[in-house]
Amino acid sequence: MKSKLSFDEFKLNSDGMIPVITQDYKTNEVLMLAYMTKESFEKTLETGKMTYFSRSRQELWTKGDTSGHYQYVKTLDIDCDKDTILAKVEQIGAACHTGNRTCFFTRLAQEE
């Protein structure tokens, strides 16, 4: 897979990373938010599997390597400011480390 833009063209946060919103490519369900470095972005393009940078472990993290719950890239888009990536993926199993399909399962507020 090849990107139309170089990672160097992205606007990164103060840690040198870009946030990635990950959605199911069929349902558009938001699965998770994670971060990428240049190295994780390039590995994602190379393998077709979502690879992030774990801020807690300070290392590359290919989603599914330990759980088997891989995310296969369908599309990668960047927003108008070039500071957030939207990844649409085929999610195998759960996206969340808790075992939930999505990381967004706790409702904070709701309008009736």
Side-chain angles (χ1 to χ4, degrees):
M1 182 179 320
K2 188 163 172 56
S3 175
K4 293 181 179 180
L5 295 177
S6 161
F7 190 86
D8 298 331
E9 296 177 69
F10 301 165
K11 293 180 184 157
L12 308 178
N13 67 14
S14 59
D15 294 327
M17 293 183 240
I18 189 165
V20 182
I21 300 166
T22 305
Q23 284 184 303
D24 182 283
Y25 82 107
K26 286 182 181 173
T27 66
N28 289 327
E29 178 182 30
V30 176
L31 300 171
M32 58 183 282
L33 169 73
Y35 292 84
M36 281 185 167
T37 59
K38 183 174 185 173
E39 187 179 8
S40 61
F41 179 73
E42 289 172 353
K43 187 168 182 190
T44 295
L45 294 175
E46 178 187 317
T47 65
K49 294 177 188 172
M50 290 303 294
T51 302
Y52 305 103
F53 187 81
S54 170
R55 295 174 300 161
S56 59
R57 295 188 314 268
Q58 290 293 297
E59 64 184 16
L60 288 188
W61 156 53
T62 298
K63 180 71 175 155
D65 273 356
T66 55
S67 66
H69 298 170
Y70 288 99
Q71 294 175 338
Y72 295 98
V73 178
K74 294 298 184 179
T75 62
L76 295 174
D77 296 298
I78 196 154
D79 74 334
C80 57
D81 294 325
K82 296 187 181 90
D83 65 3
T84 304
I85 292 174
L86 176 63
K88 295 207 177 182
V89 303
E90 178 182 358
Q91 174 69 54
I92 306 302
C96 186
H97 74 281
T98 65
N100 284 285
R101 168 127 177 102
T102 172
C103 293
F104 296 97
F105 59 87
T106 304
R107 173 139 314 132
L108 294 177
Q110 181 172 339
E111 179 65 38
E112 295 301 326

